[in-house]
Amino acid sequence: VVCRDGCIKAVGQADVIRHQFSGATFERIIDCSGKCVLPGLVDAHTHPVWAGDRVHEFAMKLAGASYMEIHQAGGGIHFTVEHTRKATEEELFNTFKHRLERMRRAGSTLVECKSGYGLNLETELKMLRVIERAKQSMDIGISSTYCGAHSVPKGKTATEATDDIINNHLPKLKELKLSGEIHVNNIDVFCEKGVFDLDSTRRILQAGKEIGLQINFHGDELHPMKSAELGAELGAQAISHLEEVSDEGIMAMARTKCAAVLLPTTAYMLRLKQPQARKMLEEGVIVALGSDFNPNAYCFSMPMVMHLACVNMKMSMNEALAAATINAAYALGKSDTHGSIETGKQGDLLIINSSRWEHLIYQFGGHEALIDYVIVKGKVIYQNERCGTM
């Protein structure tokens, strides 16, 4: 039972609920006989605001070019930055809205959304305004992330870029937060060899923390950088990627309850070694999942991400579901309100046309026929036109 305020009022056996609410009237009753009701999925890592796709780079990767080779040849992030800077706010909002709608149809009800394809203050703010506009106008949960340190801008050194972010970008974000124009939740840095080193990353994350942002950053993806150790030291809420994390880093994350946001799409598409999900789980790390939707990993579907996590990272289906719901909500600092079906939590739900929930993972790419309803705050935001046919 979901109340008018969008929160779950009661959960229990059908006959008990019917008796308890026998005198109540409901705007809508959905018969879920023979179906499964699941928590709405949470996508803990996406880059969904940008212009100019990179389909041509997929061909280069298939031919053997590495991520950093493409990056150094002026492709990768810099290609997208160029197109995003030229795009109007309206153009960016329209494509972003369309992407969020596709994520919703695949069952995502809370999505982390990053800036990071501006690399200058003007474009980063343009992206954050677009994210803010979607927060206000669309029926989907959004956790927004400032990722101005996604790459070093052309013509600057990493130190100059770091100084610019600390002295100009972050004070402006603080000002806009106080005026109520933009509410940013997290701060992110791409801590990587040839991008932002450990010292620059520490400086930016610390400065973000000081203006009230949660630390949630890219680390240990292509090279071992000791990012996990840094995140544990700074009290990070979450760290993403971690393909090259050290054993000490895993222990530090477990000890400080810093979530690991694993991205099986990235490792799959870039042919990297898979993150050590099993070791992390055995050591007690809170493991979450994200689609890493971006021009380099064009995936909207958390059911497909869960499938890849099970097959390629050896997670069980139960572990993958927890990682794409309650643990992903934890990685965004929202597990008290999202990620599970509990009284008092937000009524974000998924109804699938199967008597076994495992079909959501088992049917690789089959979610479009499987998901009957997506519900956010008790409101049906997506209903499959095939509803009712088993």
Side-chain angles (χ1 to χ4, degrees), residues 16-147:
V16 176
I17 294 285
R18 282 196 191 100
H19 181 261
Q20 188 182 341
F21 291 89
S22 56
T25 55
F26 293 93
E27 281 179 23
R28 184 162 188 176
I29 295 173
I30 299 174
D31 182 357
C32 297
S33 306
K35 300 182 182 185
C36 281
V37 184
L38 294 164
L41 302 177
V42 180
D43 190 339
H45 183 122
T46 80
H47 301 258
V49 183
W50 46 269
D53 72 38
R54 304 213 302 257
V55 66
H56 61 286
E57 286 182 13
F58 187 54
M60 291 167 71
K61 284 196 281 283
L62 295 178
S66 75
Y67 177 88
M68 288 312 278
E69 281 167 355
I70 292 169
H71 185 79
Q72 282 152 5
I77 292 169
H78 289 301
F79 178 88
T80 306
V81 166
E82 197 179 316
H83 285 77
T84 306
R85 285 180 178 178
K86 288 175 187 168
T88 67
E89 197 168 311
E90 202 60 34
E91 286 167 343
L92 290 175
F93 178 72
N94 288 333
T95 52
F96 176 42
K97 185 180 170 189
H98 173 67
R99 289 163 190 161
L100 284 177
E101 283 165 355
R102 287 184 67 177
M103 289 175 183
R104 284 195 314 198
R105 290 202 297 274
S108 292
T109 55
L110 172 61
V111 179
E112 184 266 2
C113 300
K114 302 178 192 293
S115 71
Y117 291 118
L119 309 185
N120 61 26
L121 182 56
E122 179 193 352
T123 315
E124 289 296 315
L125 291 179
K126 179 170 68 173
M127 295 178 76
L128 291 170
R129 279 196 301 271
V130 163
I131 295 169
E132 189 68 32
R133 192 169 151 191
K135 266 191 197 182
Q136 306 303 331
S137 64
M138 291 186 72
D139 292 314
I140 187 167
I142 292 175
S143 176
S144 63
T145 301
Y146 163 74
C147 187

Side-chain angles (χ1 to χ4, degrees), residues 148-309:
H150 195 195
S151 185
V152 178
K154 285 181 178 176
K156 278 198 166 96
T157 65
T159 305
E160 287 167 345
T162 301
D163 291 342
D164 185 33
I165 287 165
I166 292 168
N167 299 330
N168 299 312
H169 293 215
L170 293 176
K172 187 65 179 175
L173 283 188
K174 185 180 178 182
E175 179 192 315
L176 292 170
K177 182 183 177 183
L178 290 171
S179 68
E181 286 177 63
I182 295 176
H183 298 90
V184 179
N185 304 102
N186 316 289
I187 183 156
D188 191 352
V189 175
F190 187 15
C191 182
E192 185 53 72
K193 189 176 174 183
V195 192
F196 290 93
D197 65 14
L198 211 60
D199 184 51
S200 296
T201 301
R202 178 189 276 106
R203 288 180 60 209
I204 294 168
L205 294 177
Q206 190 65 53
K209 187 179 180 180
E210 283 165 12
I211 65 162
L213 300 178
Q214 275 183 152
I215 295 175
N216 188 335
F217 71 111
H218 291 60
D220 295 328
E221 178 186 357
L222 304 171
H223 299 91
M225 299 287 293
K226 295 198 180 297
S227 302
E229 291 89 330
L230 174 67
E233 176 199 324
L234 294 178
Q237 185 72 22
I239 305 170
S240 292
H241 283 292
L242 300 165
E243 287 87 349
E244 297 287 346
V245 68
S246 68
D247 291 351
E248 294 76 20
I250 291 173
M251 302 288 279
M253 289 179 72
R255 192 173 59 249
T256 55
K257 294 194 164 31
C258 172
V261 180
L262 305 185
L263 309 168
T265 49
T266 316
Y268 165 71
M269 290 186 191
L270 293 179
R271 295 167 172 161
L272 304 174
K273 72 177 187 186
Q274 295 287 332
Q276 299 177 67
R278 286 258 52 88
K279 184 170 177 62
M280 291 179 195
L281 288 161
E282 283 155 16
E283 295 293 351
V285 175
I286 297 161
V287 172
L289 289 171
S291 67
D292 196 17
F293 173 79
N294 73 75
N296 179 55
Y298 210 102
C299 176
F300 296 105
S301 167
M302 285 304 290
M304 291 181 81
V305 169
M306 289 190 283
H307 180 101
L308 288 171

